[in-house]
Amino acid sequence: MSPLNIGLADLIARLDEELPDAGDLARISEARLRAQTLSDLGDQLVDHYVRKARQAGASWSEIGDAIGVSKQAAQQRHAPNAFERFTHLNRHSIVLAQEAARTHKHDFIGTEHILLGLLGEPRGLAYEVLIAKTESEQRIRDAIEEAMPPAGQKVLRGHIAFRPESKEAIEQASRASADLGHDWVGTEHMLLGLIRAEESLAAQILRNLGFTSDELHETVKTEIAERSAARDKQ
């Protein structure tokens, strides 16, 4: 088996390069956040191949043996969940949302963190739609920071729960995907889910920036149709 093409020395070098003026304690905090992100991505990697194995007919007992846990543990940990149809980019945006919550020392993942996560994934369609409308990533970030609740006292370790309005936004994202006849839930659907969760902080921020639910729906529909047509011509 070939090793990963990134090692501890690479991670250290990158952190030191990005935080040249930070002290040792600040680097410890940042290193812990990055370690959590790596752990989350690792879980997603395993989930990806578990889904492929299940689609190929593997039993939970076989998957448990491959992972090194019991059948019950494998099923509880990797059974289909709300993120099953999320694209890779959208899953990454959720990881970034969790990281944003930790950075702000919040003990919850709010819709404002999810919006920050979408901004942190420039390859996603949601990012393109946001920037096309506002013409400034910083303008959006400033609006989020202004509306963001005060920072907590300490960084939370372990699992961070989604707030009810965040769960609603995730459900609305899946519905938006279904409304458009798609079999995936991308960053563009997550953006629609945020504004459809009308009482959420992210929805308020988006409305203040000039977005409306109907306009976003039509924009996403048009963008995806144009991309599909462009692929068909290739």
Side-chain angles (χ1 to χ4, degrees), residues 138-215:
Q138 192 58 49
R139 180 187 171 197
I140 305 171
R141 290 189 178 277
D142 289 344
I144 297 172
E145 291 296 333
E146 184 177 346
M148 186 82 69
Q153 296 299 314
K154 60 180 181 180
V155 176
L156 187 70
R157 296 186 178 184
H159 175 70
I160 302 179
F162 287 96
R163 296 194 70 165
E165 57 268 32
S166 296
K167 294 180 180 179
E168 179 189 356
I170 291 169
E171 292 175 0
Q172 290 288 356
S174 294
R175 292 176 187 173
S177 172
D179 291 344
L180 290 165
H182 300 153
D183 59 1
W184 75 93
V185 181
T187 60
E188 62 276 19
H189 303 116
M190 192 67 250
L191 183 59
L192 286 171
L194 289 176
I195 201 166
R196 288 186 178 187
E198 297 181 354
E199 301 302 317
S200 71
L201 187 54
Q204 296 173 34
I205 293 169
L206 289 170
R207 288 195 296 266
N208 289 339
L209 289 168
F211 291 93
T212 67
S213 181
D214 289 343
E215 177 194 21

Side-chain angles (χ1 to χ4, degrees), residues 4 12-13 19 26 60-61 84 88 94-95 102 108 130 133 142 145 155 167 172 188 197 201 218:
L4 295 174
I12 292 173
L19 301 175
W60 282 113
S61 294
E84 183 181 15
H88 170 71
I94 294 296
V95 172
R102 292 187 194 280
F108 58 86
L130 286 166
K133 175 78 171 180
D142 289 344
E145 291 296 333
V155 176
K167 294 180 180 179
Q172 290 288 356
E188 62 276 19
L201 187 54
E218 290 304 314

Side-chain angles (χ1 to χ4, degrees), residues 36-138:
Q36 184 62 53
T37 299
L38 288 171
S39 176
D40 292 336
L41 288 173
D43 288 342
Q44 291 182 29
L45 176 65
V46 176
D47 284 343
H48 170 77
Y49 286 105
V50 167
R51 287 196 302 275
K52 291 193 68 173
R54 287 291 292 169
Q55 291 169 0
S59 69
W60 282 113
S61 294
E62 292 171 323
I63 291 172
D65 290 341
I67 298 174
V69 299
S70 69
K71 167 187 172 181
Q72 291 77 12
Q75 193 167 7
Q76 289 175 2
R77 190 180 307 172
H78 300 285
N81 54 45
F83 305 110
E84 183 181 15
R85 294 193 300 121
F86 273 39
T87 62
H88 170 71
L89 295 183
N90 204 14
R91 285 172 178 262
H92 185 228
S93 76
I94 294 296
V95 172
L96 294 177
Q98 178 176 277
E99 188 171 337
R102 292 187 194 280
T103 299
H104 288 83
K105 300 180 181 179
H106 293 155
D107 59 358
F108 58 86
I109 299 176
T111 56
E112 62 274 26
H113 302 118
I114 296 176
L115 186 54
L116 279 174
L118 293 177
L119 274 181
E121 184 43 86
R123 296 171 296 173
L125 179 54
Y127 180 90
E128 294 183 21
V129 171
L130 286 166
I131 301 306
K133 175 78 171 180
T134 64
E135 299 182 345
S136 170
E137 178 181 332
Q138 192 58 49

